[in-house]
């Protein structure tokens, strides 16, 4: 029976490299931290789950050749890249258009968890750099003799799991400061503008380049 994962020396190198890459901030981490600070830990965790599912979709896509399509077709890469950037800008505009908090409010009415999950999923999925990253990164740790697509999906899933753990730490840490910010006078109005501007800036940055590891 062929092993799904490579031997321990190669696997340990994969785990170490995955952890280093997972803790490096990218669009997904930025989205998670922003949601956690503005709306608390529960919404941060929902965004973690959405981003993880989007990353898993990219890992599976890379395993079945989607990344090869992106590498060969500039048009396909460009379409998905700009779709993701446009969605980030859309989130920023929505944040800027949100109603101002009333003086008596401690926190705004939170967005539904399902919408936070969906937005995180779309932000992660519509980032073609992630699929290309998986296509370039995973083969370095695959052992000879194993079924390539099976081992690629297994390694990709393991990377996503590691990233989900580190993303959760980001969400919990960011969520911990949310109550302090909520008590600060005027922080809600300022936070709306900062969040909207940050998402719009991230969308522009994603369109022009963005993190090399895609996360």
């Amino acid at each position: 029976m062929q092993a799904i994962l490579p031997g321990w020396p190669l696997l340990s190198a994969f785990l170490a490299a995955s952890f280093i890459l997972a803790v490096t901030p990218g669009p997904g981490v930025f989205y998670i931290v922003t949601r956690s600070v503005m709306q608390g830990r529960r919404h941060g965790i929902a965004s973690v789950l959405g981003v993880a599912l989007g990353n898993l979709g990219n890992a599976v896509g890379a395993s079945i050749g989607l990344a090869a399509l992106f590498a060969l077709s500039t048009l396909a890469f460009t379409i998905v890249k700009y779709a993701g950037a446009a969605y980030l800008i859309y989130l920023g505009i929505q944040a800027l258009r949100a109603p101002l908090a009333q003086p008596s409010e401690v926190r705004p009415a939170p967005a539904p968890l399902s919408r936070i999950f969906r937005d995180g999923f779309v932000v992660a999925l519509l980032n073609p750099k992630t699929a290309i990253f998986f296509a370039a990164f995973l083969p370095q740790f695959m052992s000879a003799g194993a079924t390539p697509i099976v081992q690629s999906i297994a390694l990709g899933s393991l990377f996503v799991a590691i990233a989900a753990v580190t993303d959760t730490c980001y969400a919990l840490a960011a969520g911990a400061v949310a109550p302090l910010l909520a008590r600060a006078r005027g922080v809600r109005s300022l936070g709306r503008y900062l969040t909207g501007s940050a998402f719009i800036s991230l969308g522009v940055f994603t369109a022009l380049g963005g993190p090399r590891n895609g996360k």
Side-chain angles (χ1 to χ4, degrees):
M1 181 178 178
Q2 294 180 338
I4 295 179
L5 295 175
W8 176 246
L10 198 57
L11 180 60
S12 61
F14 171 80
L15 294 175
S18 296
F19 176 78
I20 293 172
L21 291 170
V23 297
T24 303
V29 170
F30 184 88
Y31 175 80
I32 290 165
V33 169
T34 300
R35 289 302 190 188
S36 300
V37 168
M38 298 307 301
Q39 296 179 303
R41 292 178 179 176
R42 291 179 66 244
H43 288 73
I45 296 301
S47 65
V48 168
L49 296 176
V51 168
L53 185 60
N55 286 336
L56 182 61
N58 274 309
V60 174
S63 299
I64 63 177
L66 183 59
L69 172 63
F70 285 156
L72 294 175
S73 173
T74 303
L75 178 61
F77 178 89
T78 302
I79 290 174
V80 177
K81 174 182 177 179
Y82 284 110
Y87 193 74
L88 287 169
I89 293 173
Y90 165 78
L91 291 179
I93 293 174
Q94 290 296 100
L96 291 176
R97 294 178 60 188
L100 290 172
Q102 299 300 319
S104 61
E105 291 180 334
V106 176
R107 302 186 66 177
L113 293 176
S114 59
R115 193 176 80 189
I116 299 298
F117 174 87
R118 180 204 66 193
D119 289 347
F121 171 74
V122 174
V123 165
L125 187 66
L126 293 184
N127 186 357
K129 289 188 180 71
T130 307
I132 291 179
F133 160 71
F134 279 124
F137 177 68
L138 298 181
Q140 311 303 318
F141 302 94
M142 294 172 62
S143 58
T147 304
I149 189 171
V150 173
Q151 190 165 110
S152 178
I153 291 176
L155 288 173
S157 300
L158 185 55
F159 179 91
V160 170
I162 293 171
V165 172
T166 60
D167 287 348
T168 298
C169 293
Y170 275 115
L172 294 178
V177 305
L180 299 177
L181 294 177
R183 298 190 195 103
R185 186 176 183 179
V187 74
R188 295 298 318 289
S189 298
L190 177 62
R192 185 189 70 166
Y193 290 109
L194 289 177
T195 299
S197 299
F199 273 122
I200 292 173
S201 299
L202 183 61
V204 173
F205 179 68
T206 300
L208 297 179
R212 294 186 67 182
N213 70 356
K215 185 177 171 290

